[in-house]
Amino acid sequence: MESQMIRPGHLTAHQTASMLGISLDGVRQLVRRGHLRRSGGSPRQPWYAAHDVSTLLVERRTANAA
């Protein structure tokens, strides 16, 4: 179950995965590899800054287009 009290400007892991078109495990791998940083929440329900996710999405789209 996801937290309903998320700070503005942040996304849950599920929202992040959906935005990037990847699985939850894919989000964990991005964190492990240092491409994405947690910005709040709890260890079981992390949050990610919406700006960081948007930046990563643009980078991934640019890399795929090249």
Side-chain angles (χ1 to χ4, degrees):
M1 175 185 282
E2 291 186 46
S3 171
Q4 294 183 11
M5 299 298 291
I6 189 165
R7 286 187 290 174
H10 289 78
L11 300 169
T12 65
H14 288 275
Q15 292 168 328
T16 299
S18 178
M19 242 181 115
L20 295 173
I22 60 176
S23 66
L24 289 175
D25 188 52
V27 173
R28 286 188 286 273
Q29 291 298 322
L30 288 173
V31 171
R32 187 178 67 80
R33 293 178 181 154
H35 298 288
L36 185 62
R37 237 180 21 185
R38 294 180 181 132
S39 65
S42 68
R44 291 184 58 97
Q45 294 181 344
W47 301 340
Y48 303 95
H51 179 268
D52 292 346
V53 175
S54 296
T55 300
L56 184 59
L57 181 61
V58 169
E59 289 173 0
R60 290 169 60 97
R61 286 185 178 167
T62 302
N64 288 339

